[in-house]
């Protein structure tokens, strides 16, 4: 089984400041990792994903994340945030491999609020 | 269509009423998933279809929950005898290939409120 812990439920920042949203996971098997963003009354939109290869992954809207296997972390970062980045962010994992099942396991989310 | 479409967007049901939630996935997508998102929580897996076959229903919380995808495209999530704890946003997602390690596209969800 897998579990995902998002260490901060709320992160307030000022516009143009850097931000890091933290995610740790637990799994007995190798996993793929994802970050999704959810705007109010909207579905989830994929920001970025780590499947294999370089541990630094770049996504949409200027976000990036780094996979750290030894620390079982996948923190999301952006060097300069905008008001429009205000949203709920979810970290998620899925076991890799054909026989490992297909369900995403999500963290509880981090509400990012960007203030002017 | 251009994306995953869910209907209705909002549903208010009286306790004990049956409800049906519809999901239209992206055309040609093989995999379809249902998730339940309680207020202030992350989505939790309910069930998974590959074409018309329901391969995993282990996340369905009780036998009051039933999902189908008879022709391998549109899916319906049915909840019988709704209870207050069923109040949540129900999200549908689809992906082109069999496994969800390819990108999954989510619908806007149906917000169910049981009163």
């Amino acid at each position: 089984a897998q579990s995902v812990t998002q260490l901060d439920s709320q992160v307030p920042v000022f516009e143009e400041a850097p931000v890091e949203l933290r995610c740790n996971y637990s799994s007995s098997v190798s996993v793929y990792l994802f970050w999704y963003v959810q705007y109010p009354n909207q579905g989830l939109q994929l920001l970025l994903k780590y499947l294999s290869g370089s541990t630094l992954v770049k996504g949409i809207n200027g976000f990036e994340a780094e996979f750290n296997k030894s620390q079982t972390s996948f923190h999301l970062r952006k060097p300069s945030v905008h008001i429009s980045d205000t949203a709920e962010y979810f970290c998620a994992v899925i076991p890799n491999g054909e026989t490992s099942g297909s369900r995403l396991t999500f963290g509880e989310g981090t509400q990012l609020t960007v203030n002017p | 269509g251009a994306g995953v479409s869910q209907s209705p967007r909002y549903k208010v049901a009286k306790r004990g009423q049956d409800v049906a939630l519809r999901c239209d996935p992206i055309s040609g997508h093989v995999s379809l998933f249902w998730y339940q998102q309680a207020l202030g929580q992350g989505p939790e897996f309910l069930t998974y279809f590959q074409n018309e076959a329901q391969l995993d229903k282990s996340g369905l919380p009780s036998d009051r929950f039933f999902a189908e995808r008879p022709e391998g495209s549109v899916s319906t999530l049915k909840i019988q005898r709704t209870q207050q704890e069923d109040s949540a946003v129900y999200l549908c997602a689809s992906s082109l290939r069999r496994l969800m390690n390819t990108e999954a596209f989510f619908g806007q969800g149906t917000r169910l409120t049981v009163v």
Side-chain angles (χ1 to χ4, degrees):
Chain A
Q2 293 74 44
S3 68
V4 177
T5 302
Q6 292 185 239
L7 297 160
D8 307 293
S9 60
Q10 298 197 34
V11 174
V13 295
F14 287 109
E15 194 174 16
E16 298 183 3
V19 71
E20 178 179 79
L21 306 183
R22 297 180 292 168
C23 172
N24 286 89
Y25 69 93
S26 173
S27 176
S28 57
V29 299
S30 295
V31 295
Y32 298 129
L33 300 115
F34 304 80
W35 275 98
Y36 283 86
V37 60
Q38 187 176 36
Y39 298 102
N41 298 315
Q42 299 291 317
L44 300 170
Q45 180 182 5
L46 181 67
L47 273 179
L48 48 78
K49 61 186 175 185
Y50 173 78
L51 303 183
S52 64
S54 172
T55 57
L56 183 62
V57 180
K58 293 190 183 298
I60 63 171
N61 301 340
F63 284 93
E64 63 181 31
E66 185 156 20
F67 170 52
N68 188 319
K69 189 174 182 178
S70 63
Q71 297 187 1
T72 60
S73 68
F74 191 53
H75 300 333
L76 181 70
R77 302 185 184 101
K78 186 169 182 177
S80 176
V81 294
H82 303 292
I83 298 285
S84 59
D85 292 322
T86 295
E88 188 89 18
Y89 291 79
F90 292 95
C91 181
V93 301
I94 190 169
N96 65 27
E98 291 275 337
T99 61
S100 299
S102 311
R103 64 173 71 184
L104 279 166
T105 299
F106 286 88
E108 294 196 344
T110 297
Q111 173 63 44
L112 173 65
T113 301
V114 181
N115 298 300
Chain B
V4 178
S5 177
Q6 292 186 246
S7 61
R9 286 293 313 278
Y10 304 91
K11 176 70 179 178
V12 178
K14 291 185 178 179
R15 187 176 169 217
Q17 185 180 355
D18 296 350
V19 298
L21 312 180
R22 177 187 170 104
C23 173
D24 282 88
I26 294 173
S27 178
H29 277 199
V30 169
S31 297
L32 185 144
F33 305 81
W34 283 99
Y35 286 82
Q36 180 190 57
Q37 186 176 18
L39 187 64
Q41 302 293 316
E44 293 195 358
F45 172 84
L46 292 177
T47 187
Y48 161 59
F49 289 87
Q50 181 184 319
N51 295 309
E52 70 278 4
Q54 189 175 19
L55 297 188
D56 187 351
K57 56 181 180 180
S58 61
L60 296 176
S62 77
D63 59 7
R64 296 186 295 104
F65 286 71
F66 172 76
E68 59 183 6
R69 193 187 185 196
E71 297 179 358
S73 55
V74 172
S75 177
T76 304
L77 176 67
K78 297 179 180 178
I79 309 173
Q80 297 177 324
R81 305 181 303 282
T82 52
Q83 303 295 316
Q84 281 194 318
E85 61 263 28
D86 300 334
S87 295
V89 175
Y90 290 85
L91 295 169
C92 176
S94 70
S95 64
L96 181 60
R97 296 208 296 264
R98 191 165 62 87
L99 297 178
M100 208 174 182
N101 55 355
T102 57
E103 182 170 355
F105 294 85
F106 282 81
Q108 291 182 306
T110 293
R111 182 179 298 276
L112 173 65
T113 304
V114 181
V115 298

